[in-house]
Amino acid sequence: HFTRLFRSQRADTGTAKVTVTGVKTARDQLVAEVQEENLAGHKFPSGVGFRRAFLTFEVLDASGNDLWVSGRTSPTGVLVGPDGTPIAGEFMWHSECRPMTATEQTFQPHYQTVTREDQAQIYEERIRDPRGRLTTSFLSLANVMKDNRLLPRGWTPTVELARREGLGSAKLSAEALTRRVIPDLPDGHGGEVHDPWYEPKSKGGLGGGGDALTYAVPLAGLKGTPASVRVTLYYQAIPPVYLQDRFCSTPTRPDTSRLFFVAGHTNLDGTRAEGWKLQVVSSGAVAVPSPHS
């Protein structure tokens, strides 16, 4: 019991912070600035690469009803848009396990500004296999396409540090190793995002420690008056994309059948992981000032 309580307290207070640092209405937009702080002392999420964290940003009316949501989920933890359809990148296979081509497979980029409900800031690692298809198999990892997991404070990858610690080898020099640990931040258009939170201080960046982004919400489409905003950081140890990839890639294997049974019979109602997502931390409701205040 003590161990479970300690782990719960660590999840509540020792993993991350998330804050709405500013909110205003300007012309035809509601603009909110959000900042996260990584308290874990390592990348978050860490461990196996299919784990992910994501932000849910909500614009609420005076009764607490949502008017606009980025990072909305289905009851099974699938990130969906306003019409309930999975957003781009939530699955790597078509329905009935029809394979997607490498060009059909996609993922959410690293955002600095979110403007639509079908965009979500997901902190994750996405990797393609030697054939160019996205994969969650440990045996097929070839090319990292995205790695925007939150970095720890004091992240300082330098060649000098690598050499001082005796890192590097004939196959992977200290220089190559230092380049390899630089995060991969795709912009969704074939380029890279230059985010100061993910750049070393030696290169003029902030040296890790968290992330910051802007939510710019069009006011014209809201069916109500915004009264507050709220941002919440969630974590998924086994996201839907991983389960689908396991079920579709090895459907007849005994371990797959066992996983299918366990996932299909797990009841998370009333637990901290209800909806197949674990709330890490939330800003709580932050009032939207009137345009003339």
Side-chain angles (χ1 to χ4, degrees):
H1 174 76
F2 174 79
T3 301
R4 289 197 301 271
L5 179 61
F6 175 76
R7 288 175 177 170
S8 176
Q9 290 174 337
R10 285 290 296 171
D12 288 338
T13 62
T15 301
K17 292 181 180 179
V18 62
T19 309
V20 177
T21 57
V23 57
K24 63 181 180 181
T25 53
R27 296 184 180 179
D28 57 350
Q29 289 184 325
L30 183 154
V31 179
E33 305 292 340
V34 169
Q35 184 170 316
E36 302 137 83
E37 183 180 355
N38 181 7
L39 305 176
H42 50 69
K43 283 186 177 181
F44 178 76
S46 63
V48 289
F50 54 78
R51 295 172 178 168
R52 71 178 186 179
F54 62 90
L55 290 175
T56 297
F57 177 83
E58 304 164 278
V59 179
L60 308 170
D61 66 15
S63 299
N65 302 309
D66 62 75
L67 303 175
W68 191 96
V69 182
S70 162
R72 186 195 309 267
T73 59
S74 74
T76 55
V78 179
L79 286 164
V80 297
D83 60 354
T85 302
I87 65 174
E90 277 302 273
F91 293 112
M92 301 195 309
W93 300 73
H94 292 296
S95 60
E96 307 302 324
C97 285
R98 290 185 297 111
M100 289 183 182
T101 65
T103 54
E104 288 178 312
Q105 291 182 330
T106 185
F107 47 83
Q108 291 287 303
H110 177 74
Y111 291 105
Q112 291 183 298
T113 301
V114 171
T115 60
R116 304 198 314 260
E117 292 181 86
D118 61 351
Q119 299 173 334
Q121 185 77 312
I122 307 173
Y123 298 103
E124 61 183 349
E125 185 180 39
R126 300 300 294 268
I127 304 178
R128 293 194 186 275
D129 66 16
R131 298 175 298 169
R133 298 186 74 255
L134 291 171
T135 183
T136 63
S137 170
F138 296 145
L139 303 178
S140 304
L141 305 180
N143 298 304
V144 177
M145 307 305 298
K146 175 186 179 184
D147 185 358
N148 69 334
R149 293 173 294 170
L150 293 173
L151 297 169
R153 186 187 301 112
W155 178 73
T156 54
T158 65
V159 175
E160 293 75 19
L161 178 62
R163 288 173 175 164
R164 187 166 67 245
E165 296 299 321
L167 303 177
S169 66
K171 290 185 176 181
L172 190 67
S173 67
E175 291 83 358
L177 178 64
T178 303
R179 287 195 300 270
R180 181 168 291 189
V181 300
I182 299 298
D184 297 276
L185 309 176
D187 64 5
H189 304 287
E192 285 284 318
V193 175
H194 297 287
D195 189 330
W197 289 91
Y198 291 84
E199 296 177 357
K201 289 186 176 181
S202 61
K203 303 293 184 180
L206 297 174
D211 188 27
L213 69 156
T214 301
Y215 288 87
V217 180
L219 293 172
L222 300 184
K223 297 180 179 180
T225 302
S228 63
V229 298
R230 177 172 60 209
V231 62
T232 305
L233 179 66
Y234 287 103
Y235 169 75
Q236 289 178 320
I238 307 179
V241 67
Y242 173 82
L243 290 175
Q244 188 209 41
D245 197 32
R246 297 275 69 72
F247 298 153
C248 290
S249 59
T250 56
T252 62
R253 304 300 299 172
D255 287 344
T256 304
S257 299
R258 188 178 302 111
L259 178 62
F260 187 85
F261 178 86
V262 171
H265 289 79
T266 299
N267 183 3
L268 298 174
D269 293 348
T271 73
R272 291 192 57 173
E274 186 170 2
W276 288 83
K277 59 184 181 182
L278 176 68
Q279 177 177 312
V280 179
V281 65
S282 178
S283 67
V286 177
V288 174
S290 66
H292 306 293
S293 62

